[in-house]
Amino acid sequence: MNMKLSLPHTVGQWCKNILTRPALAVTVSVLWLIVIGWIAYGWNLGNIGLVDETEPLFAEASRQMFVTGDWITPFFNAQTRFDKPALIYWCQAIAYGILGVNEWAARIPSALAAMGTVALAFYTVHWSLARKDELEQVSRPVRRYLTAGLAATVMALTPEMIAWGRIGVSDMLLTGCIASALLCFFLGYAQNSQFPSNKWYWACYVLVAGAILTKGPVGIVLPAIIIGAFVIYQGNLVEVWRQMRPLVGLLIILGLSVPWYALVIWRNGWNYINSFFGYHNIERFTEVVNGHSAPWYFYFLVVLLGFAPYSVYLPAAMIRLQFWQRSHWRSQARSQQLGLFACIWFLGVFGFFTIAVTKLPSYVLPLMPAAAILVALLWSDLIPEPEADNHKSVIASKSFVWSSWVNVIFLSAIAAALFHVAQLVGNDPAAPELYQSMQQMGLPAMGGMIWLLVAIIIAAFTLTRRWQWIITANLLGFVLFFIVVLMPALFVMDQQRQQPLRELSAIAAQVEQPKEELIMLGFKKPSVVFYSHKTVNYISSAPEVVDYIHKQNAQPAKLNSLLLLAEKDRFLAMDLQPEEYKHIASKGAYYLVRVPVKKIKKQKLDISYSVPTNTIQNSKLSQ
């Protein structure tokens, strides 16, 4: 019996001993947050190149801001970029000034936003449970620290949070601002004191301003919907309104966010208003933009996979709350309403973007912190104290037991998909050997074995009713999968897809002649602009390239030559003769050539991309 109970008892005693030394408790907590933050967001953060298409758009716009000193209007490839407000560009530009212009600097704002959100969630959960112990006049330090640590760990180690926390775009910064604003609101709300003495409300307003500067009106609309729904459901709207003094808060928000909007509108006028507010906000909510349409159940799949493997426990976590029992929640102390608040937070984000017509996986990223809190609170009921009667087994709810078996089925399905990944995915023309390389390294098979093993272990824990260890199996399985499979896969993808473009971009910058243009034929890869530091002219087809060359010949100031970057098939379709171009380099699926403008014959205007390539491929590849 001592052997059976030794591990939980030892963990509990260890946590209890730490609490007798507050400085050590804080130190261990901080070290744990650093470890999980580094694994999820810091490890190899800058060792993988920028990923086309979206990330280089942000990185290059920030580089332009850093180089030109224009901190008002973002530019990309010599054109204004009005997709997003300025905060992400400011953060990346500042990082360039500290770390240099590189991938680390482009991604560090996202990584820090994710780690900051994880840390604040840890504090909030621990604080709420500490208040609960005070109300019940008990001391349950193990439950407090393990639940808070679990919330932080689950939040950090989810596919969606890792994906957007390791890439230099605005989504994680927006999530960090919105999630932190909501957590600050709850801490202020739970303390039941008035603004301005309640500093958490101050922080909430500042973070909402940051969200507005990150992605626009959604930065205030989402928090307002969630907070409004919460206080209305609790029936204390008037009381909270008086405590928060939202008119003063609105002045703070406007004072921090409006000056940049005023300046960028003053400089760019209706072009900015129509592009940002019209196209990138109103139209994205009411119409399909850039082909990003999806069925109504799209976000069910996004949450299932993006919050995997813990997503199967979300229904049980909500059932546990019994959020429909309004009278029960209204009778609870404010500090004990964190579960209800997280539930409304989750449903608010999910519902808002389900209604929106344009749909993207990153849109529901702000609900991931709420999901992690819900799952952690579910597991908190299964954490025993060292002083508790260990002869008694922890009783799990029926919904939890069913969720455990769904967990087993879900992980088995993931394992099966990995074993057959070659049949499930198509060919990538930009990296035709990508999946073959992964198969040769055995990555899909290793991933399948990991999740199959975790499924078997969870089934064993479920049968033996060792509920506390199921979440540990999920977490350790995810960490192992991330380290052994996902990270090597990312390096292979970078080597196959992005490295050829980086190398050709560097070569183009080195061999560039005065006033020589760089043309990208048939595809758009913004990373070329970032790595070459050149303005790139995107032209969709080979005939258009030839037509463009002849138009340049007709200009008074003629170009002597241009650099052409193209996929091999599209370059071969141009049917250029050896004397009409100079081969500079070829990497992966791409060619970089120099085309003397005057040597292109007029009849080349008649070519089309449909020209068969098999008849000329051998001769061209030997050039």
Side-chain angles (χ1 to χ4, degrees), residues 301-605:
L301 299 177
V302 171
V303 173
L304 177 66
L305 298 176
F307 193 61
Y310 331 103
S311 51
V312 295
Y313 293 96
L314 283 171
M318 294 184 183
I319 292 173
R320 167 192 173 272
L321 293 174
Q322 297 182 340
F323 59 87
W324 55 87
Q325 294 186 358
R326 189 182 182 196
S327 59
H328 165 75
W329 285 105
R330 293 182 67 176
S331 65
Q332 295 292 307
R334 286 189 176 187
S335 61
Q336 304 313 298
Q337 298 170 10
L338 178 60
L340 177 66
F341 182 68
C343 184
I344 292 176
W345 173 355
F346 179 94
L347 295 175
V349 176
F350 190 92
F352 180 83
F353 287 111
T354 297
I355 294 171
V357 179
T358 299
K359 290 180 171 60
L360 286 170
S362 61
Y363 285 180
V364 292
L365 184 62
L367 65 72
M368 295 297 165
I373 293 173
L374 289 171
V375 170
L377 293 177
L378 170 68
W379 243 278
S380 68
D381 296 338
L382 306 175
I383 299 174
E385 288 296 322
E387 297 83 358
D389 185 357
N390 288 315
H391 296 277
K392 297 181 180 179
S393 60
V394 178
I395 299 176
S397 64
K398 289 184 179 180
S399 61
F400 181 90
V401 176
W402 279 107
S403 297
S404 299
W405 287 115
V406 174
N407 194 178
V408 173
I409 297 171
F410 179 52
L411 295 184
S412 301
I414 293 177
L418 288 169
F419 285 133
H420 299 88
V421 68
Q423 291 77 33
L424 296 175
V425 297
N427 184 47
D428 187 349
E433 299 179 359
L434 174 61
Y435 299 111
Q436 181 181 354
S437 299
M438 290 187 181
Q439 291 282 5
Q440 291 174 351
M441 294 176 65
L443 296 180
M446 282 191 291
M449 289 300 296
I450 288 171
W451 288 121
L452 183 60
L453 178 61
V454 173
I456 294 172
I457 292 173
I458 292 174
F461 284 153
T462 302
L463 289 172
T464 57
R465 299 183 179 181
R466 297 182 180 181
W467 315 115
Q468 304 94 324
W469 299 105
I470 292 177
I471 189 64
T472 305
N474 278 289
L475 287 168
L476 292 179
F478 185 86
V479 171
L480 186 62
F481 180 74
F482 179 65
I483 294 173
V484 175
V485 179
L486 278 184
M487 188 57 68
L490 289 174
F491 276 102
V492 173
M493 292 177 64
D494 178 65
Q495 182 182 17
Q496 295 281 333
R497 297 196 62 191
Q498 298 298 145
Q499 185 174 336
L501 288 171
R502 289 200 303 275
E503 293 177 350
L504 290 176
S505 299
I507 293 172
Q510 292 173 358
V511 303
E512 173 192 10
Q513 295 178 357
K515 297 183 180 180
E516 192 170 45
E517 235 183 308
L518 176 59
I519 291 180
M520 191 177 294
L521 168 60
F523 66 101
K524 288 186 178 182
K525 298 293 183 182
S527 61
V528 175
V529 181
F530 178 83
Y531 287 111
S532 68
H533 295 178
K534 287 178 62 66
T535 300
V536 177
N537 189 355
Y538 298 104
I539 299 181
S540 60
S541 66
E544 291 179 77
V545 172
V546 179
D547 186 40
Y548 178 78
I549 291 173
H550 287 294
K551 288 181 179 179
Q552 292 301 312
N553 267 327
Q555 298 294 325
K558 298 180 180 179
L559 296 175
N560 293 323
S561 63
L562 56 83
L563 293 175
L564 179 66
L565 178 62
E567 293 174 336
K568 289 180 180 178
D569 288 346
R570 289 186 179 272
F571 172 72
L572 295 173
M574 291 186 68
D575 195 22
L576 296 178
Q577 299 303 311
E579 68 272 10
E580 294 177 325
Y581 72 94
K582 178 182 178 182
H583 178 269
I584 296 176
S586 59
K587 303 286 184 180
Y590 306 101
Y591 270 9
L592 178 65
V593 300
R594 172 173 284 118
V595 181
V597 170
K598 295 182 179 180
K599 291 186 178 181
I600 301 296
K601 298 177 181 179
K602 186 67 178 176
Q603 57 264 33
K604 295 294 182 184
L605 283 170

Side-chain angles (χ1 to χ4, degrees), residues 571-572 575-578 581 583 591 612-623:
F571 172 72
L572 295 173
D575 195 22
L576 296 178
Q577 299 303 311
Y581 72 94
H583 178 269
Y591 270 9
T613 62
N614 56 345
T615 60
I616 59 175
Q617 187 167 0
N618 291 334
S619 62
K620 288 295 181 289
L621 290 177
S622 63
Q623 299 297 330

Side-chain angles (χ1 to χ4, degrees), residues 50-70 73-81 88-94 96 100-103 105-107 167-170 505 518 520 525-536 538:
L50 299 181
V51 180
D52 286 307
E53 309 278 331
T54 307
E55 187 179 23
L57 296 173
F58 286 89
E60 174 62 14
S62 301
R63 190 188 72 82
Q64 285 292 315
M65 190 171 284
F66 174 69
V67 171
T68 63
D70 183 354
T73 304
F75 285 89
F76 173 82
N77 203 33
Q79 295 181 345
T80 54
R81 173 170 165 78
I88 182 62
Y89 306 124
W90 292 344
C91 292
Q92 289 179 325
I94 293 170
Y96 289 155
V101 179
N102 53 50
E103 293 86 350
R107 292 167 176 161
I167 193 168
V169 297
S170 61
S505 299
L518 176 59
M520 191 177 294
K525 298 293 183 182
S527 61
V528 175
V529 181
F530 178 83
Y531 287 111
S532 68
H533 295 178
K534 287 178 62 66
T535 300
V536 177
Y538 298 104

Side-chain angles (χ1 to χ4, degrees), residues 26 29 119 152 195 202 225 231 244 263 281 287 302 309 333 346 377 390 413 445 480 536 542 565 589 602 613:
V26 173
S29 299
F195 180 88
W202 281 91
I225 290 174
V231 296
M244 290 187 68
L263 288 172
N281 281 273
E287 302 176 17
V302 171
F346 179 94
L377 293 177
N390 288 315
L480 186 62
V536 177
L565 178 62
K602 186 67 178 176
T613 62

